Structures are given as C-alpha cells and as structure tokens.
Amino acid sequence: NQEFALSMWLKIPTSQSVSHSMWGNYEEIPTFQSGYRVQHRKKKSHNTNTIISNRRNPWSSTPFPYHIEVGNSRGSDDGKVIFKRGNGYQIKTLKTPLAYNDNTWRHWVFQKTGSNLEIYADGKRVSTTPDFGSTGKLKGTTVSRYPITLGGIRYVNWRYGPETIDPSWKWSYYEPTGFNTNNQRYEFDRNIEPILFPFTGSIDEFRLYHQVYIIPE
C-alpha cells in the first residue's frame, strides 16, 4: 500500500505484430521417441500486448503492484495504454482515453500517489482513478514475489511425460529448452518460462521508484 512510480520512454508503433499467443487448449506434438507424449498449447488471440509486468501470469488472482499493456487491433482499446493493479480480490484498471500508437517517443509515468493511481504522458496527467482502500478485505497491499518482465508476460506453456511406461504418472507443467532422456523420462529446464502477449515497440530508461515521481514543470 506504499507509493511508487514507474518511469520509462515508450515508442508504440501503429500496430502490434503479434495478436495470437500459445495459451489455448493443449494439443499433442510429434516426438522423436515412442512411448512419450509432449503437448503444447494452441495459438489463441488476445486483445492486449504486455509492456511491463510483475504479475504471476495473465490471469492469476495473486496480488501484483503493476501490469502495463497496450491494446491491439483485435479489441476496442487499440493503441490505448493500460495500467492494472491487483490485490488478490479485484483488479484496478486505468487506461488512457486516447490512443498513442503513432510511433513517437514519449515519456511515461505510472504511479500510486496517496489514494490514487495516475498515468502521465510527456509530463501531462492523462488518466487517474482511486486506488484500493487502506483497510478491510479490499485493502491495497499488493506484494508480488514474481520477477519483472519487460516486453511480455510469463506463462507455463508445456506439459510432458511418458505415455506407457508409468500409467500413474500425471502431467507436470514445465517448458522445454531441449529434449533429453534420463531413465526413460524427459527432462526440461524448469527455471525459464516462455513469454506471451509480446509487445511490439521500444522501451528505454525504465526506472522503478519507491516514491512518487516528481513531474518536471
């Protein structure tokens, strides 16, 4: 529930080149060795592209202090910049009234100041809304232990395992960085997760402040 600010330069092109990511239902993919099954998710459309986030995944209800995205042509917010924040029970959404996908560099600030959330573009406040309250079930504590991602959002996308060797084996949700076998079982790197909803554009001089950003006069 503390004040903070995110400052950065953004250049948002006229269109987001990716509007489909692999987050649909699972489908099986061919493998080089019999007796094993590997599945990945089908491509599915999305209406926004992630600029910066420390949300667990695109749909998690786990608290997150900030998630910044831009609308693409598949939705009604094409070119609008969106600032989200969740406390585990509900999500606050703040968006710009205008589109900014004109391929122009602008300086942006997204912040919580007092009891409000604000968006500034080139030193001008373009949107504001009340933050969560300070007491009760819907208070504004939004601690996140997940890493910050720039240019996309994390999502576990794969599952794998033996088809016939161990009938009781259940799916696990980890992504591969390559295929290896060890005791007739696939091994994947569990430390890296794929990125979905990638942002097409440029990000520069990203800064995170543990206080309100002072807008230059």
Side-chain angles (χ1 to χ4, degrees):
N1 199 34
Q2 298 167 321
E3 294 184 338
F4 67 87
L6 286 76
S7 166
M8 71 200 75
W9 288 86
L10 294 175
K11 183 166 70 171
I12 304 173
T14 54
S15 65
Q16 295 296 307
S17 61
V18 178
S19 60
H20 291 75
S21 295
M22 298 179 70
W23 62 284
N25 295 329
Y26 280 105
E27 63 180 356
E28 191 160 340
I29 60 177
T31 62
F32 65 88
Q33 185 174 348
S34 61
Y36 287 81
R37 298 174 65 189
V38 178
Q39 295 188 334
H40 67 178
R41 292 183 183 274
K42 295 180 180 180
K43 283 189 175 181
K44 190 175 179 180
S45 65
H46 47 87
N47 298 335
T48 60
N49 295 70
T50 301
I51 298 172
I52 288 174
S53 181
N54 69 342
R55 194 173 183 178
R56 180 179 181 181
N57 65 51
W59 308 279
S60 173
S61 60
T62 303
F64 60 95
Y66 46 83
H67 171 96
I68 300 168
E69 59 190 13
V70 60
N72 62 40
S73 59
R74 295 193 61 83
S76 59
D77 294 324
D78 189 15
K80 294 182 180 180
V81 179
I82 304 165
F83 176 20
K84 293 182 178 180
R85 170 170 156 82
N87 64 2
Y89 299 100
Q90 62 179 179
I91 295 175
K92 290 285 185 177
T93 300
L94 178 61
K95 70 179 69 175
T96 62
L98 303 176
Y100 290 89
N101 55 340
D102 57 359
N103 208 38
T104 299
W105 279 108
R106 289 185 176 86
H107 183 260
W108 291 84
V109 173
F110 306 86
Q111 67 180 9
K112 168 183 165 56
T113 172
S115 59
N116 293 316
L117 302 177
E118 298 178 334
I119 300 178
Y120 285 81
D122 285 339
K124 179 181 179 181
R125 190 173 70 180
V126 294
S127 191
T128 184
T129 192
D131 188 27
F132 302 112
S134 58
T135 61
K137 185 177 180 179
L138 300 182
K139 63 183 180 181
T141 301
T142 58
V143 176
S144 173
R145 302 186 184 278
Y146 297 96
I148 298 173
T149 57
L150 283 77
I153 187 167
R154 316 159 66 234
Y155 191 47
V156 179
N157 229 4
W158 298 77
R159 61 186 183 181
Y160 63 94
E163 182 178 19
T164 59
I165 295 175
D166 183 3
S168 65
W169 192 89
K170 295 181 180 180
W171 290 115
S172 290
Y173 295 83
Y174 301 106
E175 73 296 334
T177 57
F179 295 109
N180 296 290
T181 56
N182 180 16
N183 296 326
Q184 298 182 321
R185 185 178 290 274
Y186 280 110
E187 289 186 347
F188 296 129
D189 185 346
R190 302 184 181 189
N191 298 316
I192 302 174
E193 293 180 354
I195 299 296
L196 301 188
F197 305 177
F199 170 61
T200 301
S202 300
I203 306 171
D204 197 16
E205 296 185 18
F206 168 66
R207 296 176 181 178
L208 173 60
Y209 299 91
H210 297 285
Q211 62 184 38
V212 174
Y213 186 86
I214 305 301
I215 306 298
E217 295 294 336

